[in-house]
Amino acid sequence: MSRRLHRGPCFDPDRATVTTLEVKDLSVRFDTEAGPLDAVRGVSFSIDKGELLALVGESGSGKSVTALSIPQLLPLARVSHPGGSIRLGGTEMIGAPESVLRGVRGGKVGIIFQEPMTSLNPLHTIERQIGETLRLHQGMSGKALRERVVELLELVQLDNARERMGAYPHQLSGGQRQRVMIAIAVANEPELLIADEPTTALDVTIQAEILKLVRDLRARLGMAVLLITHDLTIVRRIADRVCVMNQGEIVEAGETSRLFADPQHAYTKHLLASEPKERTETKEDWSEPVMQAEDVVVHFPIRKGLLRRQVGAVKAVNGVSLEVHRGQTVGIVGESGSGKSTLGLALLQLRQSRGRVVFLGNRLNDLQSRQLHGLRRKMQIVFQDPYSSLSPRMTVRQIISEGLEIHNIGSSGADRRERVAQMLREVRLDPAMMDRYPHEFSGGQRQRISIARVMALKPDFVVLDEPTSALDLSVQAQIVELLLDLQARHGLSYLFISHDLRVVRGLCDHVIVMRKGEVVEQGPAKAIFERSEHPYTQALMTASFEIVPGQSDGVDGLRSGSEPY
Amino acid sequence: MGAFLVRRLAGMLVTMFIISTLVFIITNVVPGSPAALILGEDRTPDQVEALNRELGLDRSVPVRYVQWLGDLVTGDFGTSYYNDNSVASVIAGRLEPTLMLTFTSALLAVAIGIPLGIIAAVYQGTRLDYASMVVALMGAALPNFWLGLLLILLFSLYWSVFPAAGYASIFDDPGDTWRYLVLPAITLGASHAGVIARMARANLLEVMGADYLRTARSKGLRERSVVLGHALRNSMIPTFGVVGVALALMIGGSIVTEAVFAIPGVGRLLIESVLRRDFPMIQGVILLIALLVALVNLAVDIVYALLDPRVRYA
Amino acid sequence: MTKRFPAIGQILGASILSVSAIGGAAFAQSELNVAMKSQPPTLDLHVTSTNTVRNVGAHINEGLFTFDENFQPKPMLAESVARSDDGLTYEITIRQGVPFHNGDELMAEDVVASLDRWMQRSSFGRTLARYVESLEASGDHSVTMTLNEPASFVVTALTTWRAGPFIYPAEVIEAAGEERITDPVGTGPFRFVEWNEGQDIILERFDDYAAVDAPASGYAGKREAMVDRLRFVFVPELSVRRIGVESGDFDMALDVDPDSFDQYQDNPDVVSFLGAPRMTTLIPNKAEGVMANPALRTALQAAVCVEDVLPVYGGETFWRADPSITWQETAWWSDAGSELYNVCDPERAQSLAGEAGYDNQQIRLAVSSDDESKFSVAQVLQQQLQMAGFNVELEVRDAAAHEATLDSKEAWDLAISEHTYRTHPILHSHLQATWTGWWESEERDRLVGEFLVASEEEAHEIWDKIHALYFKDVVVIKIGDYFEHHIAADEVEGYANMPEPFFWNVSLSE
């Protein structure tokens, strides 16, 4: 192997401290059916003991591939390293024998993955899953093992650690599971902790707690941490240094504060510009209500016993009232389980509910399904997941014109074709692509197709259910921009459902904060964001906007009652 | 769990009732006279009439149904038209071979299918994988009838290892039972082994891509421990469902195998009874098969709950 | 190897020699396994003429008389029979010291009870019953039967065949009442041990068996169980019955396919037997529908070419064209009226049909699907008849539905039937108006009446007249005879290949 010293932007051989990880000129090649694909090209960086390095990039940038290369966890059959070196505490990882790598994995290197819901074995207890790695690397067993598991669970601040040891993953919330993942990762006090998007799948308040935990453990155990993320807010608050990756290469690196203050590379600038901005102009007076709801209630019955008698109900939505006016965007904010999506479905009469719902002067609860059908065209919904909400067996044209046919809009095939083309232009897609299938489009493009499908029906009211959550930051910004543009042109009213306060801030005129089926606080966006009154809203704000290293009181404030379980 | 069991058993009763009614109606509207077959070619009209009276076939269908149902409630399944024996005792005598055959076949299918599927999945894309899947496909594709005769030709006629046909009861001749069961069990088990192998492979492959296996690898576990300790049990849960279905199918589907190997089981009894229009026997056998299938399904659900901590019945 | 039933005379001589040579030797629990297609519905020999019942039951129960190799009635349980000069009284003496399997001795009351029941339950018994005035025990070992008019066929009728007058103990008859007999106790060389439902029936040697003191001939003479156990195994699958004999699992298999015949000619381990001849007929419905027109029946009869039909039964060894309604091997064979048999003249058939007023009406040909041969016969016949201008439609049903169809006068016009021969013309069910096809004929009634009281010589002449009437009235259209095919392992010795198989006097060489 070449011992040539490579000076990459993230690599500084003159640093005085102890280097835990040293990656030099790393390349990763995938053998695909279409031929070799270089996912990572010439990446170099190093992490010192106790340092937290963030690897930032959008999906497909090669940041996770880089991270998984360190303990050589990529599937060997399809992956090769055409060049480069990964040295962990002086040991070369590329080409190391399996026995050495097994000692590294879980021993010197602990890893936290993105999906806490699926990263734990559903059939094993927590104790067994943590104990397994202790048994393997330290040969612990019996009472000592048990005690160490408790200790670890306490270390990651899992409540009732001792009682929870026998629990299975499904009995824990997402945040709790991520704590267990962290316990597994740090069980053998690794030199390096790799955290691959550790908070992306979590609610915002839980995100803050997990990040605080990672940060605290780093200090306590003196680990080096490699944080993989696409979330610039997190990077800004927690990382010591940042490497920005784009298309398999590190394009810029540096101290966090410097990088955010003075980005050099065009891509870094573009990324920073994509961060959700506060809405500048806001209107205060709304006069033309489109959707009015009073005291909406959705209960899911709980049945028990021999005769499946209803013994109670989950109050998914419990007496919510709201108004959406023409041209207005009302944001509904809340964590998972708050009932925000259920409320959206109830307003559209897609879910049985009680209470009064008036749309364009029609009381929807009283209408026959025939009359409702006529109004349905005017109230539409865009779902979160652009992958599963489009039928894979229909072309884009079929998807968009399906709604037109159902509602008898447009007379001939040619007419409908023209409408579809027009819609695609409006969402800034090339109409020439209308005969392709959804899988040929990227996530952002698919979400545009979903929007085009809805807009083709010329609705008055659109429920946007987390339309940007599954998208990369820069794509998110484009979709938000598109939605604002469409609203301005067509005088649409939006009900924007999101857990992401930053996006809400950039889009909404009015904000409703929901928790456990009830409205905690609502008001004009400006008022809510600048001087929220309810402690829960404040906690959400803190978690979203102020995850600052060292300012632990803000995070701690969230701990009480913030986890849904 | 208790309430769940009671509810499921009650549901089974309802199912049984519906099935029994349907079977009664179907058997009684299908043309054909049991008397003609019993009496043979020299029958005279008055003989037929007398026998119909003896069998109770002179009464109307609804009357017979009510009578039959009434008897059923008291545990009386009636008497065979054909040979005058009690349906319950005939079926009881025929049950052992079918149960033995089904269980042996299921064991065999599992013992062959699951390792085959695991090998194929672990060595995915290699020759071993293709070879295993060809074997599985052959097992699934060969007609029972044909495979049975082939086995008899090879193992009975050419090599004289196993008897060609018949059955030795485990109660009378326990040492001999297995010799009679080997060939039929292979015949009946082969197709299910093939299906199980393919399901085991597919399920294991699906699990092999699961996030928690990445977690297991990240702990530094050997690949063997990853597969055996983490992947296998998870992949076995859906596979087990297939095994349950296979078992249920075998109970009803052992007819051909029983005929080929002259095994006196309920499958053959059903065919014989249908051909003879032995209504009480048909009804009895179908009720029994339905009951067994329902019990297998219940057992599958219970085992699901035992295997998978996420499954809870209330 | 083949053994053909008409040649039994020669074979039998040799077999009996070999039988007596090893007769005294003791066998260590020898067992003869006979594979048959299906299990019998019952072991009550009185109620059904199904051959499975006879094949098993005839080893357990015996009758007063039985046939020798020339189909002459010979005493079995009877010692002798005396007929009064007026022909109205039969005095039957029963052999003494014959034990039932339950240990009781055979007495006259057992015979009376059995014959009474048989005359009520069996279709043949009821034929005889019409002539019987009274039946009573005239002593411990003698029975007197009084007739209301002379009848020549009494002894033949009392000779055991299918659904024949087999003798059960009186208490067994009484216990059965109106139901079927469930306790098969008899006097035969084998006694019933167990019936494993769906699997097999096991008989074993009856040690106290009282054999007739006469050389074995056909079913008659000395009977001896040469094996300890006789096991009838039910094997529905044809190829498995065959393979079982080849592999030694079974010693004999009944009803195997004729196609396998050639294969066994070169195989020293398996012996082929041509079994009982059976006849194939096309039955017209003479009661209702198009075929009720006798002239049309005659037209149809002229269109049939049996040589084109019979090859469905296999090679030429397995079938023969024969006009007789009675068996070629018996004295009752007749070719009277045979000018109407196998006419094979479609043009003539067509012109006759025109004269009969046939106007292309649909003719329903009913056939059951469970026998491949019947179905093939139906297909060939359909083609022949269509060529001659008959609009014949095949209606295929499974056996139970087919038989039920035959019981309904409106449901069919033509039917294919395969049935067994009877040892005496009077036992043929065709002769009765109630039988399938409903042949109402005063002339038949008159001739049968004469036949029954006639002397033996006259009887043959009268039978020729009845036989001619069959053709003239087109009661059935005879197609021909075909043979059953049984196979045995080489070790089986002494099997007398009579039309209905039996396994006493049969041993296994080792």
Side-chain angles (χ1 to χ4, degrees), chain B residues 126-176:
Chain B
T126 66
R127 282 193 198 146
L128 207 54
D129 178 21
Y130 295 129
S132 308
M133 283 305 103
V134 165
V135 170
L137 198 65
M138 269 169 55
L142 286 182
N144 272 356
F145 177 80
W146 192 85
L147 181 62
L149 286 184
L150 186 75
L151 291 175
I152 293 177
L153 268 179
L154 291 178
F155 289 92
S156 304
L157 189 57
Y158 295 149
W159 301 327
S160 300
V161 193
F162 297 112
Y167 180 74
S169 167
I170 189 108
F171 302 112
D172 305 340
D173 222 349
D176 253 2

Coordinates of all heavy atoms in Angstrom, one line a residue, chain B residues 126-176:
Chain B
T126 N -24.9 -18.4 -6.1 CA -23.9 -19.4 -6.4 C -24.6 -20.6 -7.0 O -25.8 -20.7 -7.1 CB -23.1 -19.8 -5.2 OG1 -24.0 -20.5 -4.3 CG2 -22.6 -18.6 -4.5
R127 N -23.8 -21.6 -7.4 CA -24.3 -22.8 -8.0 C -25.1 -23.6 -7.0 O -26.1 -24.2 -7.3 CB -23.1 -23.7 -8.5 CG -22.6 -23.2 -9.8 CD -21.7 -24.3 -10.4 NE -20.9 -23.6 -11.4 CZ -19.6 -24.0 -11.7 NH1 -19.1 -25.0 -11.1 NH2 -19.0 -23.4 -12.7
L128 N -24.6 -23.5 -5.7 CA -25.3 -24.2 -4.7 C -26.8 -23.7 -4.6 O -27.7 -24.4 -4.4 CB -24.6 -23.9 -3.3 CG -24.7 -25.0 -2.3 CD1 -24.4 -26.3 -2.8 CD2 -23.9 -24.6 -1.1
D129 N -26.9 -22.4 -4.7 CA -28.3 -21.7 -4.7 C -29.1 -22.3 -5.8 O -30.2 -22.7 -5.6 CB -28.1 -20.2 -4.8 CG -29.4 -19.5 -4.8 OD1 -30.4 -20.1 -4.4 OD2 -29.4 -18.3 -5.3
Y130 N -28.5 -22.2 -7.0 CA -29.3 -22.7 -8.2 C -29.7 -24.2 -8.0 O -30.8 -24.6 -8.3 CB -28.5 -22.5 -9.5 CG -28.3 -21.0 -9.8 CD1 -27.1 -20.5 -10.0 CD2 -29.4 -20.1 -9.7 CE1 -26.9 -19.1 -10.3 CE2 -29.2 -18.8 -9.9 CZ -27.9 -18.3 -10.2 OH -27.8 -16.9 -10.4
A131 N -28.7 -25.0 -7.6 CA -29.0 -26.4 -7.4 C -30.1 -26.6 -6.4 O -31.0 -27.4 -6.7 CB -27.7 -27.1 -7.0
S132 N -30.0 -25.9 -5.3 CA -31.1 -26.1 -4.3 C -32.4 -25.7 -4.8 O -33.4 -26.4 -4.6 CB -30.8 -25.2 -3.1 OG -29.5 -25.4 -2.6
M133 N -32.5 -24.6 -5.6 CA -33.8 -24.2 -6.1 C -34.3 -25.1 -7.2 O -35.5 -25.2 -7.4 CB -33.7 -22.7 -6.6 CG -33.6 -21.7 -5.4 SD -35.1 -21.9 -4.3 CE -34.3 -22.7 -2.9
V134 N -33.4 -25.7 -8.0 CA -33.9 -26.6 -9.0 C -34.5 -27.8 -8.3 O -35.6 -28.3 -8.6 CB -32.7 -27.1 -9.9 CG1 -33.1 -28.3 -10.7 CG2 -32.3 -26.0 -10.8
V135 N -33.8 -28.3 -7.2 CA -34.4 -29.4 -6.4 C -35.8 -29.0 -5.9 O -36.7 -29.8 -6.0 CB -33.4 -29.8 -5.3 CG1 -34.1 -30.8 -4.3 CG2 -32.2 -30.4 -5.8
A136 N -35.8 -27.8 -5.3 CA -37.1 -27.4 -4.7 C -38.2 -27.3 -5.8 O -39.3 -27.7 -5.6 CB -36.9 -26.0 -4.1
L137 N -37.8 -26.7 -6.9 CA -38.8 -26.6 -8.0 C -39.3 -27.9 -8.5 O -40.5 -28.1 -8.7 CB -38.1 -25.8 -9.2 CG -39.1 -25.2 -10.2 CD1 -39.8 -24.1 -9.5 CD2 -38.3 -24.6 -11.4
M138 N -38.3 -28.9 -8.6 CA -38.8 -30.2 -9.0 C -39.7 -30.8 -8.0 O -40.7 -31.4 -8.4 CB -37.5 -31.1 -9.2 CG -36.9 -31.1 -10.6 SD -35.3 -31.9 -10.6 CE -35.7 -33.5 -9.9
G139 N -39.4 -30.6 -6.7 CA -40.3 -31.2 -5.7 C -41.6 -30.6 -5.8 O -42.7 -31.2 -5.7
A140 N -41.7 -29.2 -6.1 CA -43.0 -28.6 -6.1 C -43.7 -28.9 -7.4 O -45.0 -28.9 -7.4 CB -42.8 -27.1 -6.0
A141 N -43.0 -29.2 -8.5 CA -43.6 -29.4 -9.7 C -44.1 -30.8 -10.1 O -45.0 -31.0 -10.8 CB -42.7 -28.9 -10.8
L142 N -43.3 -31.8 -9.5 CA -43.7 -33.2 -9.9 C -45.1 -33.5 -9.3 O -45.4 -33.3 -8.2 CB -42.7 -34.1 -9.2 CG -41.3 -34.2 -9.8 CD1 -40.5 -35.2 -9.1 CD2 -41.4 -34.5 -11.3
P143 N -45.9 -34.1 -10.2 CA -47.2 -34.5 -9.7 C -47.1 -35.6 -8.6 O -46.2 -36.5 -8.8 CB -48.0 -35.0 -10.9 CG -47.1 -34.6 -12.1 CD -45.8 -34.4 -11.6
N144 N -47.8 -35.5 -7.6 CA -47.8 -36.6 -6.5 C -47.9 -38.0 -7.1 O -47.2 -38.9 -6.7 CB -49.0 -36.3 -5.6 CG -48.6 -35.4 -4.5 OD1 -47.5 -34.9 -4.4 ND2 -49.6 -35.0 -3.6
F145 N -48.9 -38.1 -8.0 CA -49.2 -39.4 -8.5 C -48.0 -40.0 -9.2 O -47.6 -41.1 -8.9 CB -50.3 -39.2 -9.5 CG -50.7 -40.5 -10.2 CD1 -51.6 -41.3 -9.6 CD2 -50.3 -40.7 -11.5 CE1 -52.0 -42.5 -10.2 CE2 -50.7 -41.9 -12.1 CZ -51.5 -42.8 -11.5
W146 N -47.3 -39.2 -10.0 CA -46.2 -39.6 -10.8 C -45.0 -40.0 -9.9 O -44.4 -41.0 -10.0 CB -45.9 -38.5 -11.7 CG -44.9 -38.9 -12.8 CD1 -45.2 -39.5 -14.0 CD2 -43.5 -38.7 -12.7 NE1 -44.0 -39.7 -14.7 CE2 -43.0 -39.2 -13.9 CE3 -42.6 -38.2 -11.8 CZ2 -41.6 -39.2 -14.2 CZ3 -41.3 -38.2 -12.1 CH2 -40.8 -38.7 -13.3
L147 N -44.8 -39.1 -8.9 CA -43.6 -39.3 -8.0 C -43.9 -40.5 -7.2 O -42.9 -41.3 -7.0 CB -43.5 -38.0 -7.1 CG -42.4 -38.1 -6.1 CD1 -41.1 -38.2 -6.8 CD2 -42.4 -36.9 -5.2
G148 N -45.1 -40.7 -6.7 CA -45.4 -41.9 -5.9 C -45.1 -43.2 -6.7 O -44.4 -44.1 -6.2
L149 N -45.5 -43.3 -7.9 CA -45.3 -44.5 -8.7 C -43.8 -44.7 -9.0 O -43.3 -45.8 -8.9 CB -46.0 -44.4 -10.1 CG -47.6 -44.6 -10.0 CD1 -48.2 -44.6 -11.4 CD2 -47.9 -45.9 -9.3
L150 N -43.1 -43.5 -9.2 CA -41.7 -43.6 -9.5 C -41.0 -44.2 -8.2 O -40.1 -45.1 -8.3 CB -41.1 -42.2 -9.8 CG -39.7 -42.2 -10.2 CD1 -39.5 -42.6 -11.6 CD2 -39.2 -40.7 -10.0
L151 N -41.4 -43.7 -7.1 CA -40.7 -44.2 -5.8 C -41.0 -45.7 -5.6 O -40.2 -46.4 -5.2 CB -41.2 -43.4 -4.6 CG -40.8 -41.9 -4.6 CD1 -41.4 -41.2 -3.4 CD2 -39.2 -41.9 -4.4
I152 N -42.3 -46.1 -5.9 CA -42.6 -47.5 -5.8 C -41.8 -48.3 -6.7 O -41.2 -49.4 -6.3 CB -44.1 -47.7 -6.0 CG1 -45.0 -47.0 -5.0 CG2 -44.5 -49.2 -6.1 CD1 -46.5 -47.1 -5.2
L153 N -41.7 -47.9 -7.9 CA -40.9 -48.6 -8.9 C -39.4 -48.8 -8.4 O -38.9 -49.9 -8.4 CB -40.8 -47.9 -10.2 CG -41.9 -48.2 -11.3 CD1 -41.7 -47.4 -12.5 CD2 -41.8 -49.7 -11.6
L154 N -38.9 -47.7 -7.9 CA -37.5 -47.8 -7.5 C -37.3 -48.5 -6.2 O -36.5 -49.5 -6.1 CB -36.9 -46.3 -7.4 CG -36.7 -45.6 -8.6 CD1 -36.2 -44.2 -8.3 CD2 -35.8 -46.3 -9.6
F155 N -38.0 -48.1 -5.2 CA -37.8 -48.6 -3.9 C -38.5 -50.0 -3.5 O -38.1 -50.7 -2.6 CB -38.1 -47.6 -2.8 CG -37.2 -46.4 -2.8 CD1 -37.4 -45.3 -3.6 CD2 -36.0 -46.5 -2.1 CE1 -36.6 -44.3 -3.6 CE2 -35.1 -45.4 -2.1 CZ -35.4 -44.3 -2.8
S156 N -39.5 -50.2 -4.2 CA -40.2 -51.5 -3.9 C -39.9 -52.6 -5.0 O -39.5 -53.7 -4.6 CB -41.7 -51.3 -3.9 OG -42.1 -50.3 -3.1
L157 N -40.0 -52.2 -6.2 CA -39.8 -53.2 -7.2 C -38.3 -53.5 -7.5 O -37.9 -54.7 -7.4 CB -40.5 -52.7 -8.5 CG -40.6 -53.8 -9.6 CD1 -41.3 -55.0 -9.1 CD2 -41.3 -53.3 -10.8
Y158 N -37.5 -52.5 -7.7 CA -36.1 -52.7 -8.1 C -35.2 -53.0 -6.9 O -34.4 -53.9 -6.9 CB -35.5 -51.5 -8.9 CG -36.2 -51.4 -10.2 CD1 -36.4 -50.1 -10.8 CD2 -36.8 -52.4 -10.9 CE1 -37.0 -49.9 -12.0 CE2 -37.4 -52.3 -12.1 CZ -37.6 -51.0 -12.7 OH -38.2 -50.9 -13.9
W159 N -35.4 -52.3 -5.9 CA -34.5 -52.4 -4.7 C -35.1 -53.1 -3.5 O -34.4 -53.4 -2.6 CB -33.9 -51.1 -4.3 CG -33.2 -50.4 -5.4 CD1 -32.5 -51.0 -6.4 CD2 -33.1 -49.0 -5.7 NE1 -32.0 -50.1 -7.3 CE2 -32.3 -48.8 -6.9 CE3 -33.6 -47.9 -5.1 CZ2 -32.1 -47.6 -7.4 CZ3 -33.3 -46.6 -5.6 CH2 -32.6 -46.5 -6.8
S160 N -36.4 -53.3 -3.6 CA -37.1 -54.0 -2.5 C -36.8 -53.5 -1.1 O -36.5 -54.2 -0.2 CB -36.8 -55.5 -2.5 OG -37.3 -56.0 -3.7
V161 N -36.7 -52.1 -0.9 CA -36.4 -51.6 0.4 C -37.6 -51.3 1.2 O -37.6 -51.6 2.4 CB -35.6 -50.2 0.2 CG1 -35.0 -49.8 1.5 CG2 -34.6 -50.3 -0.9
F162 N -38.6 -50.8 0.5 CA -39.9 -50.5 1.3 C -41.0 -51.2 0.6 O -41.0 -51.4 -0.6 CB -40.1 -49.0 1.2 CG -39.0 -48.2 1.9 CD1 -38.2 -47.4 1.2 CD2 -38.9 -48.3 3.3 CE1 -37.2 -46.7 1.9 CE2 -37.9 -47.6 4.0 CZ -37.0 -46.8 3.3
P163 N -42.1 -51.5 1.4 CA -43.3 -52.1 0.8 C -43.9 -51.1 -0.2 O -43.9 -49.9 -0.1 CB -44.2 -52.4 2.0 CG -43.7 -51.5 3.1 CD -42.2 -51.3 2.8
A164 N -44.6 -51.7 -1.2 CA -45.2 -50.9 -2.3 C -46.4 -50.1 -1.8 O -46.7 -49.0 -2.2 CB -45.5 -51.7 -3.5
A165 N -47.2 -50.8 -0.9 CA -48.5 -50.2 -0.6 C -48.9 -50.7 0.8 O -48.4 -51.7 1.3 CB -49.5 -50.5 -1.6
G166 N -49.9 -50.0 1.3 CA -50.5 -50.5 2.6 C -50.0 -49.7 3.7 O -49.4 -48.6 3.6
Y167 N -50.4 -50.1 4.9 CA -50.1 -49.3 6.1 C -50.1 -50.3 7.3 O -50.9 -51.2 7.4 CB -51.1 -48.2 6.3 CG -50.9 -47.4 7.5 CD1 -49.8 -46.5 7.5 CD2 -51.6 -47.5 8.6 CE1 -49.5 -45.7 8.6 CE2 -51.4 -46.7 9.8 CZ -50.3 -45.8 9.7 OH -50.1 -45.1 10.9
A168 N -49.2 -50.0 8.2 CA -49.2 -50.8 9.5 C -49.5 -49.8 10.6 O -48.7 -48.9 10.8 CB -47.9 -51.5 9.7
S169 N -50.5 -50.1 11.4 CA -50.9 -49.2 12.4 C -49.8 -49.1 13.5 O -49.2 -50.1 13.8 CB -52.2 -49.7 13.1 OG -52.4 -48.9 14.3
I170 N -49.6 -47.9 14.0 CA -48.6 -47.7 15.0 C -49.0 -48.4 16.3 O -48.1 -48.7 17.1 CB -48.4 -46.2 15.3 CG1 -47.2 -45.9 16.2 CG2 -49.7 -45.6 15.9 CD1 -46.1 -45.2 15.4
F171 N -50.2 -48.7 16.4 CA -50.7 -49.4 17.7 C -50.5 -50.9 17.6 O -50.2 -51.6 18.6 CB -52.2 -49.1 17.9 CG -52.5 -47.7 18.1 CD1 -53.2 -47.0 17.1 CD2 -52.0 -46.9 19.1 CE1 -53.5 -45.7 17.2 CE2 -52.2 -45.6 19.2 CZ -53.0 -44.9 18.3
D172 N -50.6 -51.4 16.3 CA -50.4 -52.9 16.2 C -49.0 -53.3 15.9 O -48.5 -54.3 16.4 CB -51.3 -53.4 15.0 CG -52.7 -53.0 15.2 OD1 -53.1 -52.7 16.4 OD2 -53.5 -53.0 14.2
D173 N -48.4 -52.4 15.1 CA -47.1 -52.9 14.5 C -46.1 -51.7 14.5 O -45.7 -51.3 13.4 CB -47.5 -53.3 13.1 CG -46.7 -54.5 12.7 OD1 -45.8 -54.9 13.5 OD2 -47.0 -55.1 11.6
P174 N -45.8 -51.1 15.6 CA -45.1 -49.9 15.7 C -43.7 -50.0 14.9 O -43.3 -49.0 14.4 CB -44.9 -49.6 17.1 CG -45.2 -50.8 17.9 CD -46.1 -51.6 17.0
G175 N -43.1 -51.2 15.0 CA -41.8 -51.3 14.3 C -41.9 -51.2 12.8 O -40.9 -50.9 12.1
D176 N -43.1 -51.5 12.3 CA -43.2 -51.5 10.8 C -43.8 -50.2 10.2 O -43.7 -50.0 9.0 CB -44.1 -52.7 10.4 CG -43.3 -53.8 9.8 OD1 -42.1 -53.7 9.8 OD2 -43.9 -54.8 9.4

